Amino acid sequence: MAQVRTEQTKYLLAESELPRRWYNIRADMPNPAQPVLHPGTGEPVGPDDLAPLFPMELILQEVSDEAEIAIPDEILDIYSLWRPTPLFRAHRLEQAIGTRSRIFYKYEGVSPPGSHKPNTAVAQAYYNAKEGRTRLATETGAGQWGSALAFATTLFGLECKVYMVKISYEQKPFRRSLIQAWGATIIASPSEETQSGRAVLEEHPDSPGSLGIAISEAVEDAASREDTAYSLGSVLNHVLLHQTVIGQEAIAQMEQAGAFPDVVIGCVGGGSNFAGLSFPFLREKIAGREIDVLACEPAACPTLTRGVFAYDFGDTSKLTPLTPMHTLGHDFIPAPIHAGGLRYHGVAPLISQLVRDGLVRAEAYLQNDCFASAVEFARHEGIIPAPEAAHAIHGAILTARAADEAGEERTILFNLSGHGHFDMAAYDKYFAGELEDVALDEAEIQRALAAIEGLPAPA
Ligand SMILES: Cc1ncc(COP(=O)(O)O)c(C=O)c1O
């Protein structure tokens, strides 16, 4: 018989406690992120350069130095469909791994599409609709972002076109169905519908696709139509900004639990869920509080741990501005690991700068180890994690074990960014012992990095 617990498991906030402002870390960073550059002129990109792709309110958020930005009521109204999200104490996992540390997790999988992504999708759809755009184009890796944007655009009556990385399109047919159920159009990338897609297919007819290629296709689509804006699910400052409701809620919930984390952990693809949880805590760290902030990435796409900090394009066809970030090079095609949302050659400039400044540290893990931790978690906590979020779980378990070995007790908080209900084929492969661990060759990293030689160097 399981023992009866007296300590609380779930920490919930009332709808009235939903954060009313997003937190903008740019206001507090010790060193500002460097400007994004126009590839033709080498000069910082201005609002007018971005206007064909984004609505003006998002462009202003992208460059804002205000610490807090009010969340419009229309967005709060939609957030209230699933927010505030629950925070759990992982009592059963703690017991199973025999740790003396306390492990908490914030669960973003309760949103209708099943991840943190609608926190920004709803905001982006709102501002686009408000400024008269009628159609959005985007890319998606695992399908989480594409389904979040399809969900958000249908609520605002916008059309939506999703370029889905081909390997995920094949591995995750039900994410495709979700996107269609919410009324969006979806196509496998690289596709024949854009110049960027056709160029890749000509050279590599069997290309599994990558986020870099799919971004090129979506940007090209948006740039070629008046009625269409581009929408990105991660990396950009305004996207990270919208996710900060996660960490603000978590601070209030940790207070309810009478605790404050020593360690804050998230997985990093482009960086949005990690930023969402950690930025409000980093605000406290920058103000002097001691917190270890850990970013977890896949060893097959080790942007923060093995990439370089450089100016690079956000996409494969070099259509985006030059972005100062940790990168593996814009033509790096990550191995087809199952954490599709972590297969991106770059990472958010804000996170890159925080890593440079020593405020955030990063570790890279193999996918079989992450699946092992995800299964351990599922068997004790119940929730089946998305493979991306499995990296954060693995980071939390390793952190607890290291604390036990050092004879320490720590309070650990991680972001469970989504559920894995549409990723069961990946779990099947893991159970069948068919998941490959990709040990990325240094020579491949050097080859890919050659593509950024000659681009401007950051200060
Ligand atoms: C559940 C989940 N977690 C994490 C990520 C990684 O993206 P980001 O680093 O922007 O949070 C994704 C991306 O698709 C995702 O679906």
Side-chain angles (χ1 to χ4, degrees), residues 114-117 140-145 233-235 239-240 267-274 340-342 386-389 417-419:
S115 78
H116 64 294
K117 296 283 182 183
T140 193
Q144 291 269 26
W145 167 244
S234 191
V235 179
V239 179
L240 275 52
C267 68
V268 173
S272 71
N273 88 89
F274 173 79
L342 306 186
E388 291 83 4
S417 52
H419 68 63

Side-chain angles (χ1 to χ4, degrees), residues 116-149:
H116 64 294
K117 296 283 182 183
N119 296 331
T120 183
V122 168
Q124 293 189 43
Y126 166 77
Y127 289 115
N128 274 292
K130 192 173 161 209
E131 292 183 27
R133 289 306 213 305
T134 57
R135 182 176 174 273
L136 295 183
T138 198
E139 71 294 324
T140 193
Q144 291 269 26
W145 167 244
S147 49
L149 194 67

Side-chain angles (χ1 to χ4, degrees), residues 200-221:
V200 174
L201 288 173
E202 210 163 281
E203 238 185 278
H204 306 285
D206 297 327
S207 168
S210 69
L211 276 173
I213 296 169
I215 292 173
S216 297
E217 293 207 88
V219 169
E220 188 183 320
D221 178 319

Side-chain angles (χ1 to χ4, degrees), residues 13-87:
L13 298 174
E15 228 167 87
S16 58
E17 292 171 283
L18 228 163
R20 311 228 140 227
R21 296 171 171 271
W22 291 302
Y23 167 58
N24 180 15
I25 199 167
R26 280 167 56 97
D28 294 323
M29 283 167 72
N31 294 301
Q34 302 194 29
V36 168
L37 302 181
H38 191 290
T41 63
E43 293 297 315
V45 162
D48 290 347
D49 297 312
L50 297 173
L53 290 181
F54 300 104
M56 198 43 76
E57 288 222 39
L58 291 180
I59 294 171
L60 295 177
Q61 289 178 5
E62 188 67 18
V63 296
S64 170
D65 288 321
E66 293 290 316
E68 296 186 353
I69 294 175
I71 306 177
D73 286 343
E74 293 85 342
I75 296 175
L76 286 172
D77 192 41
I78 295 182
Y79 278 174
S80 70
L81 286 172
W82 72 96
R83 302 210 73 86
T85 62
L87 180 124

Side-chain angles (χ1 to χ4, degrees), residues 136-219:
L136 295 183
T138 198
E139 71 294 324
T140 193
Q144 291 269 26
W145 167 244
S147 49
L149 194 67
F151 159 73
T153 47
T154 197
L155 293 180
F156 286 101
L158 302 174
E159 277 181 66
C160 180
K161 171 82 175 255
V162 180
Y163 293 84
M164 183 168 184
V165 176
K166 191 184 279 168
I167 179 80
S168 296
Y169 186 90
E170 285 158 5
Q171 283 173 345
K172 301 187 179 175
F174 296 128
R175 279 264 162 222
R176 246 154 64 189
S177 320
L178 267 191
I179 291 169
Q180 284 167 326
W182 278 313
T185 312
I186 180 162
I187 188 162
S189 164
S191 78
E192 292 285 353
E193 292 197 6
T194 64
Q195 253 172 24
S196 309
R198 287 191 293 274
V200 174
L201 288 173
E202 210 163 281
E203 238 185 278
H204 306 285
D206 297 327
S207 168
S210 69
L211 276 173
I213 296 169
I215 292 173
S216 297
E217 293 207 88
V219 169

